[in-house]
Amino acid sequence: MAELIRYILLVNIFIVVLSLFFRLVLEKEKWFKLNRFVLIFGLLLALVIPLWQIDFVKSPEQALIVISESFANLKEIRGDIILDEIQVYGTAPKVFPWMNIFQTIYLLGIIGMGILFTWKVSRIRNLQRSYPMILLRNLFITVLPKNFSAFSFIGVAYFPAPIDPKDETTSYIINHEKAHLRQKHSFDIVFVEIVKILFFYNPAVYTLQKQMALTHEYLADSECATENAESYSMALFRSFFNSPGLSLSQGFKSQSMLKQRLIMLENGATSKWAGLKYSLFLPLIGLFLTLSAFTLVIP
């Protein structure tokens, strides 16, 4: 149990540190592929590194037991008594079962989050089975009712009717969702969802999920806006405000995210200090390794 508590504690600390590091150092940089790598690889390291531990301080082989003088005299009278075989009888003091309560709440939370994630995936699959699918521009699109927003998940785009490929905004949306699928963002989403199931109580996990979603949007935006960033920005603006049910996001239709995406599209090149900022990720990994190595479990 002590090993498990140590692991959970370290993972939560690493997740908080990773989220803060990304927020303070990398969030405004335009090397989006590196941002995605830092988030995914950093989160993976946060799960794996706590499994590694070096015992710099050796634990004693046996625990120290203190017995009374009268009990020790019994050993002199009965020389055949072996301490390892002694059993002590009596009434143990009542201790509040806080650990059992913690385990129950933790397991219930994991089960609840797992059921929620399963429901989300099954709902998407039900949409795929319930509505027609077309092939457009080498992209499989499930045509949804017009009150839905456009999104994509594992090989399939979901788009509200009617679909007019000649319309500029519609064309941008299709290309945007195609970029999500080509870059396999769905696998990142599933990975973060699994982490969220295991550490549902940690607010930093939800922050990392938003940071990952926004990074996905930046990646898709940067690919779609290569020819005409101004035209794409206007299409993005129209899709949010003027077309009910249409959004160039994967389920994140919020004004704050739209504002951040438009600002990022207007921003110039990455700062000259970007390389130095990304190099700070290596000392962060070193910090994780050091904390894991020197954090001992007391037997």
Side-chain angles (χ1 to χ4, degrees):
M1 179 58 69
E3 282 284 357
L4 180 59
I5 293 175
R6 168 190 174 274
Y7 175 80
I8 292 175
L9 181 62
L10 285 178
V11 170
N12 280 285
I13 292 174
F14 293 171
I15 289 176
V16 171
V17 173
L18 176 64
S19 177
L20 287 174
F21 172 77
F22 188 86
R23 175 68 180 272
L24 298 176
V25 181
L26 303 180
E27 191 173 60
K28 296 182 180 180
E29 299 300 331
K30 297 190 70 173
W31 291 357
F32 304 130
K33 291 182 180 180
L34 269 179
N35 287 352
R36 180 189 181 189
F37 171 80
V38 168
L39 288 172
I40 291 297
F41 189 64
L43 192 52
L44 185 61
L45 289 178
L47 298 175
V48 173
I49 288 179
L51 298 174
W52 176 68
Q53 176 184 348
I54 299 177
D55 290 334
F56 291 100
V57 180
K58 296 297 182 182
S59 301
E61 295 295 331
Q62 297 182 359
L64 178 64
I65 302 176
V66 179
I67 59 178
S68 65
E69 183 179 354
S70 60
F71 189 81
N73 293 333
L74 181 63
K75 179 70 170 58
E76 298 176 359
I77 300 173
R78 293 287 305 277
D80 59 331
I81 295 179
I82 301 174
L83 287 178
D84 292 341
E85 296 179 353
I86 293 177
Q87 296 182 8
V88 179
Y89 297 91
T91 303
K94 292 184 179 180
V95 180
F96 187 76
W98 63 270
M99 183 58 70
N100 293 335
I101 295 175
F102 169 77
Q103 291 176 353
T104 302
I105 295 175
Y106 189 43
L107 289 176
L108 288 176
I110 290 177
I111 293 172
M113 295 298 292
I115 292 174
L116 180 61
F117 174 66
T118 304
W119 175 79
K120 290 179 181 178
V121 174
S122 62
R123 186 166 178 262
I124 292 175
R125 293 306 181 191
N126 287 335
L127 291 176
Q128 188 175 331
R129 288 191 293 264
S130 302
Y131 296 101
M133 180 181 293
I134 62 173
L135 180 63
L136 180 64
R137 300 179 185 176
N138 295 322
L139 177 65
F140 287 102
I141 301 176
T142 298
V143 183
L144 303 176
K146 62 181 181 179
N147 59 317
F148 281 83
S149 298
F151 68 96
S152 56
F153 187 72
I154 306 183
V156 179
Y158 298 82
F159 199 94
I163 299 178
D164 182 9
K166 297 180 180 180
D167 178 70
E168 183 182 50
T169 301
T170 301
S171 180
Y172 276 129
I173 295 173
I174 292 174
N175 290 336
H176 182 92
E177 299 304 332
K178 195 174 182 178
H180 279 307
L181 294 174
R182 183 166 48 251
Q183 298 173 21
K184 302 187 185 306
H185 294 165
S186 300
F187 295 103
D188 298 353
I189 294 172
V190 172
F191 175 57
V192 176
E193 284 285 346
I194 293 174
V195 175
K196 191 170 72 173
I197 290 172
L198 298 175
F199 304 97
F200 61 90
Y201 50 86
N202 190 341
V205 176
Y206 299 86
T207 302
L208 277 174
Q209 186 180 39
K210 293 180 180 179
Q211 291 168 336
M212 178 62 68
L214 193 55
T215 300
H216 288 166
E217 298 305 322
Y218 290 158
L219 281 165
D221 288 342
S222 62
E223 183 173 319
C224 296
T226 51
E227 296 182 1
N228 193 334
E230 183 178 353
S231 178
Y232 179 79
S233 297
M234 290 303 299
L236 180 63
F237 191 85
R238 287 195 303 269
S239 69
F240 188 91
F241 289 104
N242 298 334
S243 300
L246 293 181
S247 176
L248 294 182
S249 64
Q250 292 185 303
F252 270 85
K253 188 172 181 179
S254 66
Q255 280 189 307
S256 62
M257 178 171 284
L258 174 64
K259 181 180 178 180
Q260 289 174 283
R261 291 167 64 186
L262 291 174
I263 291 174
M264 193 61 71
L265 285 171
E266 294 176 1
N267 283 346
T270 303
S271 66
K272 61 180 180 179
W273 302 108
L276 179 60
K277 290 182 178 180
Y278 284 99
S279 66
L280 294 176
F281 184 55
L282 295 178
L284 183 66
I285 296 175
L287 175 63
F288 288 176
L289 290 170
T290 303
L291 287 175
S292 179
F294 283 91
T295 306
L296 303 179
V297 176
I298 300 176

